[in-house]
Amino acid sequence: MNMNEIIAKKRDGDILSPEEIEYFVKGYTNEEIPDYQISALLMAIFIQGMNHDETLALTKSMLNSGDTVDLSEIPGIKVDKHSTGGIGDKTTIIVAPIAAACGVPIAKMSGRGLGFTGGTVDKLESIPGFQTILKSEQFMEQVRKIGISVIGQSANIAPADKKIYALRDVTATVENLSLITSSIMSKKLASGSDAIVLDVKCGRGAFAETEEQASMLAGMMVEIGNAAGKRTIAAVTDMNNPLGRAVGNSVEIIEAIETLKGQGPEDISELSVILAGLMIFCGGVAATAEEGKGLAKEAIKSGRALRKFGEFITAQGGNPEIIYDYSLFKQPKIKRLITTDRSGYVASIDAKAIGISSQLAGGGRTKKEDTIDLSAGIYLFKKINEYVEKGEAIAEVFGDNEQGVQSAVKIISEAYEMSFEKVQEKPLIKKIIE
Amino acid sequence: MNMNEIIAKKRDGDILSPEEIEYFVKGYTNEEIPDYQISALLMAIFIQGMNHDETLALTKSMLNSGDTVDLSEIPGIKVDKHSTGGIGDKTTIIVAPIAAACGVPIAKMSGRGLGFTGGTVDKLESIPGFQTILKSEQFMEQVRKIGISVIGQSANIAPADKKIYALRDVTATVENLSLITSSIMSKKLASGSDAIVLDVKCGRGAFAETEEQASMLAGMMVEIGNAAGKRTIAAVTDMNNPLGRAVGNSVEIIEAIETLKGQGPEDISELSVILAGLMIFCGGVAATAEEGKGLAKEAIKSGRALRKFGEFITAQGGNPEIIYDYSLFKQPKIKRLITTDRSGYVASIDAKAIGISSQLAGGGRTKKEDTIDLSAGIYLFKKINEYVEKGEAIAEVFGDNEQGVQSAVKIISEAYEMSFEKVQEKPLIKKIIE
């Protein structure tokens, strides 16, 4: 096989065979094929597209480029969950204990974040003592014993995707459905769970701006997941406004705890029981997604989900007392309130701007090497259709760095749009695709 | 300016500004922009295309990336000539002395070949003693004195094109009209002549397989040349069959001499007087191309073109006696005749196969570092519509290397197609575009 010919084939809009796809994925991972040939091919793929079979082959080749996790020793249907990324999205931390409390084993490996906030692993590390690095046997043993463990990704999962993604990032070839699908699904499929629940965001704060784009992406991921032999369901959900009121790391853990206590913001509470319901359904514990949602609500109401979260924290070395005493979290040096100069209803909050503020305040990484200030973040007192009096506080910024906090304050002031009347709210859940 | 944004713009089919084009050409030449970004951009350009203004801007940016030659000290309208490359194409060696003999100053810098045979400079070096490296003053002085000099390219002409071409070659982005046009024209425009005559080939042995493709390429090059302020004319000519009977280096010089003596093969003789006629017309010596052609014929008939060739050889240190004594050329160790096993008319000769044979026999380079065997090559006794008796020789291979000659013999045997009847011949000159 010849790389020039493979590039030319895709350039001319032809379909690549699984063997050709395997050839370039393997060659690039082994550093036998140079960057410049792969970037030319990626651009050809971006413009000419890939069909179902090509996307599946690319996903499989990337998944096979590294280690795959074997969870077969753990009894039951293990269910994984993935979100395409939203501002204030702390649902994994909520749905994992809910699903586990309902008997669905959660054996999850999660990444660190590069962006507005940390990833799930970073957020969990804001809990004093919490360990996210466990030996493989410890991890398996914990899931068998208490039904839940979430750790950092230590295995060499889909190294081809890591290399290809880094190249896409600097060659304007990120936003392509097939490339996004294969990137996400190769990692999910390598992680060993039996079923996958996807939360595909659409709106200003997400990759897919429109519901149509998000539905196409969700549909493609579901197709590829099922074709690869894992039951896959996706929810397409709104991401025009930040999810919940907290954006950051420890502030998001606190909001997750509030939600598990049944006191969370409406949007995050609703999304959590729907996603947990899908996981409970996929895990074979409920006969329908609706029944799963009912079980999820019940797990919160009864306090079982919160207790499971406490067990989970304890098992991984964290201090479970934080559940009832938020002062045990590291406290930020600076807290700055943001007030408005006019009265009215909040018409919209630019989710992306809130994300950038969180990052500027110290809550997110811009480079892989950056350390995150786990106490930094944003809290939104006012959300859509809430009334604000002139001079009232709409949000608060936390952080240790004065300059970062100041920049965040400025951006947040401009992220709020006000109106004299209430606006029509968009439904949070657009559709379920399976 | 940001490279990722430039790539995304072209990826989405938008038009790049001259500033954006200058940015990436300069950045790549200075090694500030990496290969992988340029190759992604080249693929986007390949698929989405470039319009006239973009192609002109790319040509100018590449031309300005290195040295430009100043021929203004030489009086008269200096005319350059370029061929897109054909098998057995030795026309430069014929038309240069014809045009010079008619009073058109020829101050030509030529490249070495990478491919089936050497380039013009390599071919000239098969003349014993001939020097292709002259100091700039010597070169100018020779043109002023005898009206003709052809030397190797020593100046740093269009280094951006050199880098970009090398990248295109390994990323399946060679065959694009705008990229080909800017590559050729940036070098021609940097070489200092006042007018340019282009010979754009079409057919099996050329980049452009069809007359339509070749006409589009010719049209674009003529447009860009004229837009850049140099009078440019193109002839679109057939390249389905090898030009003349000789393919190689010294064998092509001998055929060029035969043509200057008025004894050359019909195709090469006809093409030479037409191209020389265009040069004489562009050089302001004739009022029309037709009148130029007449002057070119007259220069051959009178012997002035041949005498000019002799002066040219002498001026550059070569032995002019080779004009009358071909045994003065280095002789090949091996000469191998190829015969046919059946009678009939030659219906076609695969030009590309003949080119490959020449290279295998030792007459061309595969890598830049290779040395060429200047006596290696092919001579075709039989061409289209010539009758062959079973057992008669159709061609002869020359070379020093037994294995190479054997491979060439095998390929040539298969390159001939025979027929019971004569075939319809295609016209050599398809059209003139100005």
Side-chain angles (χ1 to χ4, degrees), chain A residues 4 11 36-37 39 170 172, chain B residues 4 11 36-37 39 169-170 172:
Chain A
N4 235 1
R11 176 196 76 197
Y36 54 79
Q37 288 190 317
S39 65
V170 291
Chain B
N4 235 1
R11 176 196 76 196
Y36 54 79
Q37 288 190 317
S39 65
D169 200 33
V170 291

Side-chain angles (χ1 to χ4, degrees), chain A residues 4 7-8 11 35-37 39-40 43-44 46-48 167 169-172 175, chain B residues 4 7-8 11 35-37 39-40 43-44 46-48 167 169-172 175:
Chain A
N4 235 1
I7 300 171
R11 176 196 76 197
D35 286 334
Y36 54 79
Q37 288 190 317
S39 65
M43 181 56 78
F46 190 105
I47 300 176
Q48 304 288 13
L167 191 58
D169 200 34
V170 291
T171 55
E175 300 92 346
Chain B
N4 235 1
I7 300 172
R11 176 196 76 196
D35 285 334
Y36 54 79
Q37 288 190 317
S39 65
M43 182 56 77
F46 190 105
I47 299 176
Q48 303 289 13
L167 191 57
D169 200 33
V170 291
T171 56
E175 301 92 345

Side-chain angles (χ1 to χ4, degrees), chain A residues 6-7 9-17 21 24 40-56 58 173 175-180 182 216 220, chain B residues 11 43 47-48:
Chain A
I6 292 174
I7 300 171
K9 210 168 158 185
K10 183 44 74 184
R11 176 196 76 197
D12 297 339
D14 291 342
I15 291 161
L16 299 181
S17 70
I21 290 170
F24 80 75
L41 177 64
L42 288 169
M43 181 56 78
I45 290 172
F46 190 105
I47 300 176
Q48 304 288 13
M50 269 188 158
N51 69 12
H52 169 87
D53 289 349
E54 290 174 293
T55 308
L56 180 60
L58 179 57
T173 48
E175 300 92 346
N176 172 273
L177 290 187
S178 288
L179 294 176
I180 294 172
S182 56
M216 278 174 68
M220 199 184 268
Chain B
R11 176 196 76 196
M43 182 56 77
I47 299 176
Q48 303 289 13

Side-chain angles (χ1 to χ4, degrees), chain B residues 350-382:
Chain B
D350 183 337
K352 203 171 176 179
I354 300 298
I356 292 168
S357 308
S358 159
Q359 195 170 15
L360 288 170
R365 293 180 184 87
T366 46
K367 294 187 306 290
K368 224 162 50 182
E369 305 75 40
D370 293 349
T371 42
I372 289 183
D373 174 2
L374 294 170
S375 69
I378 317 290
Y379 193 83
L380 309 171
F381 297 119
K382 298 292 180 182

Side-chain angles (χ1 to χ4, degrees), chain B residues 306-327:
Chain B
L306 187 65
R307 278 201 300 280
K308 185 56 76 183
F309 189 58
E311 280 177 56
F312 164 50
I313 293 176
T314 307
Q316 292 195 212
N319 181 358
E321 287 172 34
I322 54 109
I323 290 177
Y324 300 101
D325 183 357
Y326 301 150
S327 73

